[in-house]
Amino acid sequence: MRFAAVLNQDGGALRSIDLPAFIDRMRQTLEAAGHCIDIEIAAGKDIVATLERIASRHSVDIVLAGGGDGTISAAAARLMGRKKALAILPAGTMNLFARGLGIPLTLDAAIKSFADGEVIAVDLATANGQPFVHQFSIGMHAKMVQLRQAMEFGSRLGKMRASIKAAWAAINNPSAMKVTLIIGDAEIVTRTTGIGITNNLFGEGHLPYADNPAGGVLGIYVTVARRRGELVRLLFDMARGKWRDSEHVEIHQADRVVLKVHSAARKLRAVMDGELIRLGRETTIEIHPGALNVLVPARAVQAKAA
């Protein structure tokens, strides 16, 4: 296969490794398996334009994207509905979409798995037409990301520490918003401290990622916790993957949901695949079955088949 790799030099684990040495190993591994590869390194500010250009090449079979959540989401958006496949180099903090696809979480192991990998089709979701691979969320998560962005960190571990500090600050000052959710024929009006809408339902017993990335449904998680103690217990349940055991979250599923936010605030924010975005008063979220081709380890395909 013909690979074109785009590595975000400012993203995730790629900032802290010997990048030229890793590129040499990547080239050797894929070429030894009979593939050919072109590799480009881009600064974070140029990553979207670089991915756009690479995804438009007719000679490319696989776009290999390396970086954090923002890089992977940007790559998926440019490959949605195309024959080209996305290979995910998991260089972010949590790498939740990669986990759901069964991709090894170390960089060298991921490259080795691509050498004999297989292409499968998985789902993408959109929020007002903008694709995302993992989650769209409002409320406490958006507040946490805003707080974290004001902190300084230079490594993956530093980002995790900043996330914990930001989460604690958000929990200590929770605020509820009034929203309307239209799910099928049902209209739900509620006050909530947070809503997460996910590209397929999260699995149980592990970090929040989808066990079946081709399940064809949105997961809709509405937080009913409001007090600090309740929010702490909810976060603990989330970390353990105990969604269905938690009394502080309501779970729905659908292929389409309309979210309406009733708030006097002028500027509203949401988080989409880890990135803060402007939140409109009304957002339509839909799932698109099989809209993204991805390269996954052969053993991951065999495990799904079994």
Side-chain angles (χ1 to χ4, degrees):
M1 292 185 289
R2 295 163 296 184
F3 284 76
V6 179
L7 306 182
N8 185 346
Q9 66 182 15
D10 301 322
L14 296 175
R15 289 185 297 181
S16 58
I17 65 170
D18 184 340
L19 195 53
F22 172 70
I23 287 172
D24 286 342
R25 295 196 302 274
M26 179 166 60
R27 190 184 302 279
Q28 291 170 10
T29 298
L30 292 176
E31 289 181 351
H35 307 295
C36 58
I37 182 168
D38 293 323
I39 302 169
E40 292 195 30
I41 302 172
K45 63 182 179 63
D46 300 322
I47 200 72
V48 171
T50 305
L51 285 166
E52 188 79 53
R53 176 168 49 79
I54 295 298
S56 299
R57 288 185 187 171
H58 296 296
S59 60
V60 173
D61 300 311
I62 308 290
V63 175
L64 192 157
D69 292 337
T71 299
I72 303 307
S73 187
R78 277 138 194 89
L79 295 172
M80 181 178 182
R82 298 192 179 194
K83 291 184 178 180
K84 295 181 180 68
L86 171 65
I88 299 170
L89 188 63
T93 305
M94 303 302 291
N95 304 305
L96 296 170
F97 189 50
R99 289 174 189 265
L101 296 174
I103 295 171
L105 298 181
T106 61
L107 301 182
D108 286 281
I111 294 300
K112 289 178 182 177
S113 77
F114 296 149
D116 63 349
E118 297 184 26
V119 174
I120 63 171
V122 298
D123 305 336
L124 268 184
T126 56
N128 284 349
Q130 186 174 349
F132 63 94
V133 298
H134 178 59
Q135 178 174 257
F136 173 94
S137 58
I138 65 169
M140 193 171 68
H141 186 202
K143 184 175 182 180
M144 186 198 81
V145 173
Q146 282 183 295
L147 291 170
R148 187 184 66 200
Q149 285 190 344
M151 302 176 187
E152 293 184 1
F153 51 86
S155 66
R156 182 184 299 186
L157 183 59
K159 185 177 180 180
M160 292 175 69
R161 289 173 179 161
S163 295
I164 292 170
K165 290 180 181 179
W168 183 247
I171 286 171
N172 275 307
N173 187 25
S175 57
M177 61 174 64
K178 183 179 179 182
V179 301
T180 298
L181 285 168
I182 302 173
I183 306 171
D185 295 329
E187 183 172 299
I188 302 169
V189 180
T190 187
R191 290 188 64 83
T192 178
T193 50
I195 295 175
I197 301 175
T198 63
N199 180 23
N200 286 295
L201 288 162
F202 288 156
E204 296 286 313
H206 52 63
L207 290 170
Y209 62 83
D211 286 336
N212 181 7
V217 295
L218 299 168
I220 304 157
Y221 299 84
V222 182
T223 303
V224 296
R226 295 191 186 179
R227 297 184 179 89
R228 183 173 65 181
E230 295 173 341
L231 290 166
V232 169
R233 286 194 292 274
L234 173 60
L235 288 178
F236 186 61
D237 287 339
M238 288 169 55
R240 297 183 301 146
K242 300 294 184 182
W243 294 94
R244 300 194 183 281
D245 294 340
S246 176
E247 61 182 317
H248 302 302
V249 62
E250 295 177 356
I251 304 174
H252 308 272
Q253 64 183 65
D255 57 9
R256 182 178 185 272
V257 58
V258 177
L259 168 67
K260 298 180 180 180
V261 180
H262 312 288
S263 172
R266 289 185 178 182
K267 292 183 178 180
L268 299 172
R269 293 289 185 267
V271 175
M272 191 157 68
D273 287 343
E275 302 291 327
L276 275 175
I277 63 168
R278 191 80 176 263
L279 174 64
R281 299 291 169 177
E282 181 172 321
T283 307
T284 299
I285 299 101
E286 300 177 276
I287 197 159
H288 304 267
L292 178 68
N293 289 322
V294 291
L295 183 67
V296 298
R299 60 174 175 77
V301 177
Q302 293 164 2
K304 295 291 184 184

